[in-house]
Amino acid sequence: MRVLLVGGAGYIGSHVARRLSERGYIPVIYDNFSTGHRRFIDRFEVIHGEIADYECLRHFLKNVDAVMHFAARAYVGESVLKPREYYATNMTDALTLLNATVDAGISKFIFSSSCAVYGAPEQLPITETTPRFPLSPYGQTKAAFEDALKSYSAAYGLKFVALRYFNAAGADESGMLGELRSPETHLIPLVLKAASGHSPAVSIFGNDYDTPDGTCIRDYVHVNDLASAHVSALDLLIHKGESDVFNLGTGTGFSVLEVISAAEEVSALHVPRLILPRRPGDPPVLICDGEYARKKLHWSPQRGLIEILSTAWKWQIINTAVGAESAVC
Ligand code: UFG
């Protein structure tokens, strides 16, 4: 079975491509390489295309059986400043993909959603039925696209799975894939850069939250566990043919300070830090209830914070060396 991974050269898509291939599926990467990396997916069939290009999509959708959609703008803070770009890519362009998929007669669609659809819920842990009140344009576009999927499912027979990721983190155990963004804004890569001296200090955005140590708590889930969830979601669509929505997280939250301590343990290096004011829009605590995914998707994460940090650390060491080589080329 051939699966089109739209945005498949990015952080999560490239890990999913490897996992699909290990499980006997054929990943076909469709990416415009605005943020993706060729070296992450060079062993697979690759199409350089835009998700806004209906004709190009229709052409390549002729030869696939399912679609996974990863191509999105994904910086929460940036989305507040540039909602127009976020609505254009995450809604308008994504609807072009969805229309092309339905028009091509493909009925299996897997969507990268986010726990950002929930906003800052008071009820914890967060279940799939926790009301969605997204606080940022990023979260709003994810919620709106989920709604489009429901409507298309009802009207056109599309079957979809929306996967609401909590905080994706870590790297492939090979050390050959990992987080590589510019600019980097995510906590774990920034903490590890500070440990290795590649940045002066990590900023802690607020230590006056109503949490045990005053810093924000997140549910960090390993990217290869997320990758396995995509394979399980595809298996579910193939065998059950029912649309559904799942939260993907571990059920355990770690504060910013706990992440820094664990990074010091893994790297055996000190992480210099700096307390700054709160970052606007950050919910104090986000923790996933993964019970529904465990029961219905038969998925639960196999890796914890230490595996996340040790794989991310290995990736950072290898990638720093590889990055230097490509700069010379
Ligand atoms: N943080 C810092 N210093 C930094 C970076 C982050 O203290 O330099 C803190 C943040 O304030 C937050 C936590 O670390 O409390 C995690 O921040 P990230 O930027 O790593 O991740 P976010 O939780 O903001 O966002 C990520 C994804 C989103 C997704 C969200 C779901 O980027 O796409 O998780 O929680 F929607």
Side-chain angles (χ1 to χ4, degrees), residues 20-299:
L20 282 169
S21 164
E22 283 162 17
R23 291 283 307 274
Y25 293 104
I26 302 169
V28 180
I29 312 297
Y30 187 99
D31 205 296
N32 69 359
F33 295 95
S34 56
T35 56
H37 305 280
R38 277 194 183 272
R39 68 180 157 102
F40 284 5
I41 39 78
D42 53 10
R43 63 174 72 171
F44 304 119
E45 190 177 328
V46 176
I47 300 148
H48 190 144
E50 299 287 338
I51 58 163
D53 188 342
Y54 178 86
E55 294 306 328
C56 184
L57 285 165
R58 276 305 303 271
H59 180 75
F60 288 103
L61 284 165
K62 277 183 202 146
N63 300 318
V64 301
D65 307 287
V67 172
M68 294 190 178
H69 173 34
F70 304 94
R73 291 178 188 266
Y75 293 109
V76 175
E78 182 185 63
S79 77
V80 177
L81 302 172
K82 298 181 178 175
R84 187 171 177 156
E85 273 90 335
Y86 276 71
Y87 276 91
T89 306
N90 297 3
M91 278 305 295
T92 311
D93 297 350
L95 285 174
T96 301
L97 168 65
L98 191 55
N99 291 335
T101 302
V102 168
D103 293 346
I106 294 168
S107 62
K108 298 174 194 66
F109 194 98
I110 295 178
F111 173 53
S112 298
S113 191
S114 167
C115 70
V117 299
Y118 297 111
E122 279 171 17
Q123 177 214 325
L124 293 168
I126 300 167
T127 71
E128 287 79 358
T129 54
T130 299
R132 297 176 313 163
F133 287 113
L135 297 177
S136 65
Y138 169 71
Q140 287 157 6
T141 59
K142 291 287 176 184
F145 195 75
E146 285 187 358
D147 293 340
L149 286 170
K150 275 184 212 143
S151 304
Y152 276 54
S153 178
Y156 308 128
L158 179 80
K159 303 296 175 201
F160 74 89
V161 173
L163 298 173
R164 294 178 181 155
Y165 311 152
F166 280 63
N167 283 59
D172 188 59
E173 282 78 6
S174 67
M176 302 313 286
L177 301 175
E179 292 185 80
L180 184 56
R181 306 184 186 88
S182 181
E184 185 53 81
T185 63
H186 290 78
L187 180 67
I188 289 181
L190 290 174
V191 165
L192 295 176
K193 277 182 210 290
S196 62
H198 285 96
S199 69
V202 65
S203 305
I204 297 176
F205 296 135
N207 65 351
D208 56 352
Y209 285 95
D210 185 15
T211 59
D213 66 20
T215 64
C216 285
I217 294 176
R218 293 287 181 275
D219 185 333
Y220 296 91
V221 54
H222 195 283
V223 63
N224 269 344
D225 284 325
L226 291 182
S228 303
H230 286 74
V231 179
S232 303
L234 184 56
D235 290 343
L236 190 73
L237 282 178
I238 292 166
H239 296 116
K240 290 244 162 74
E242 291 166 10
S243 296
D244 219 331
V245 178
F246 297 98
N247 282 349
L248 299 181
T250 65
T252 305
F254 293 96
S255 72
V256 174
L257 285 174
E258 285 172 328
V259 169
I260 293 176
S261 298
E264 289 183 323
E265 190 184 320
V266 164
S267 66
L269 290 166
H270 173 64
V271 176
R273 80 257 349 233
L274 187 69
I275 308 289
L276 289 186
R278 293 181 178 195
R279 188 170 68 176
D282 270 342
V285 184
L286 292 173
I287 297 176
C288 173
D289 183 328
E291 193 52 23
Y292 188 57
R294 198 180 60 73
K295 274 199 190 134
K296 179 119 190 250
L297 201 57
H298 306 295
W299 174 86

